[in-house]
Amino acid sequence: MTVSAKMSKLGTETAFDVLARAAALAGSGMDVINLGIGQPDFPTPPHIVEAGIRALKDGHHGYTAATGIPELREAVAEDIMARRGVAVSADHILIMPGGKMTMSFAIEMFGEIGAEILYPNPGFPIYESMIRYSGATPVPIPLLESAGFSFKAEDVLSLITEKTRLIIINTPANPTGGVIDRAELQKLADGLQNWPDVFILSDEIYSRMTYDGLGHCSLLEFENIRDRLILLDGWSKTYAMTGWRLGYGLWPASLIEYAKRLCVNYHSCVNSSAQYAGVAALTGDQSPVDEMMTAFDERRKLIVGRLNDMRGISCVMPKGAFYAFPNITETGMTAKEMQDLLLEKQGIATIAGTSFGASGEGYIRFSYANSSDNINKAMDRMSAAMTEIMGA
Ligand code: PLP
């Protein structure tokens, strides 16, 4: 058998491996608390589920347009107007099977041998994986704890070369919970004036998930880069719909036809009942989103407080998403050793920071999308393990 060489370049998302291992341990009788996988522990709100069921009962069983049903594309355009204050055409919106596919398409469009793509590190692992797969060279944008898991625009701009084709920005961020503030994004957009051929993929899948009244700054707000910005968002996190596989991309005029072709080649269209559910999500009652965020905020404070009480662990307060990214360097353990110890010995599923890139060494990611009781139970267990390692 001879598979193409690029197959060996594909990485993975360790969260799914940890999920499988956690399920196996639970199957063998271990009480496992899952703080690994990045998905809300809330059910999809009932009115959204109802809309999906109704669509099936109403006979929406066939293919839809490859771009998505018009009602949903319109609803997305209205939502972008309402939340980001920018008028966009529904013709530039593509409904996708999850948020991930927009990033894959963007990377595929620009990536090839000789090209460079900038991406956040630590960051969502699929960025680096897909960049390598495309043949392009991944150029990490380091997100350091000392910089609040953000970056200085000048540092990002200094990484751009004549070979740079695409820059990936993710705010609020996985795995750090960091948020890049408006002033820095403005500086980045200003600096990009000098690089008119560089496109930007803005992964805003956590756009509705910020705390302390921070709100969200979208890169779409900066007019000078709008004609080369690809915006990624979706329903997975905001509406607790990870398993429905529904997301969207907003594409600039210069790329939309390529993106449509990729849709037709890769997936034809998105599950039609999920698309009707997506309309109900955007146009219906938003209070379930607010309630979920209130719960996440309480858990955020709980888990960060508990982590900071442990010897050897320090954790900055995340500003967005639902992840805590504590520093474990004082324990002398690697991120992978800590992940394995917590899972195999303590029954706590977490993800090693190195799963998100080399800059994640010395950190582990906790998803606090779990009940306060479970978070407390996990923290009790971990605290006991840390006392054993570090001494009382
Ligand atoms: N982008 C980021 C930063 C994510 O963390 C995730 C999922 O964890 C995605 C995109 C993918 O979202 P989806 O499940 O909708 O494909």
Side-chain angles (χ1 to χ4, degrees), residues 13 38 98-100 103 124 127 170 174 203 205-206 232 236-237 242 245-246 323:
E13 199 182 335
K100 225 178 214 176
M103 86 183 57
F124 190 53
Y127 305 140
N170 172 218
N174 177 11
D203 182 343
I205 197 93
Y206 298 101
L232 178 167
S236 295
K237 318 286 176 176
T242 52
R245 308 311 301 137
L246 192 63
Y323 307 113

Side-chain angles (χ1 to χ4, degrees), residues 24-46:
L25 287 172
S28 66
M30 192 178 201
D31 173 25
V32 179
I33 302 166
N34 199 336
L35 304 180
I37 194 85
Q39 69 178 342
D41 55 321
F42 290 81
T44 305

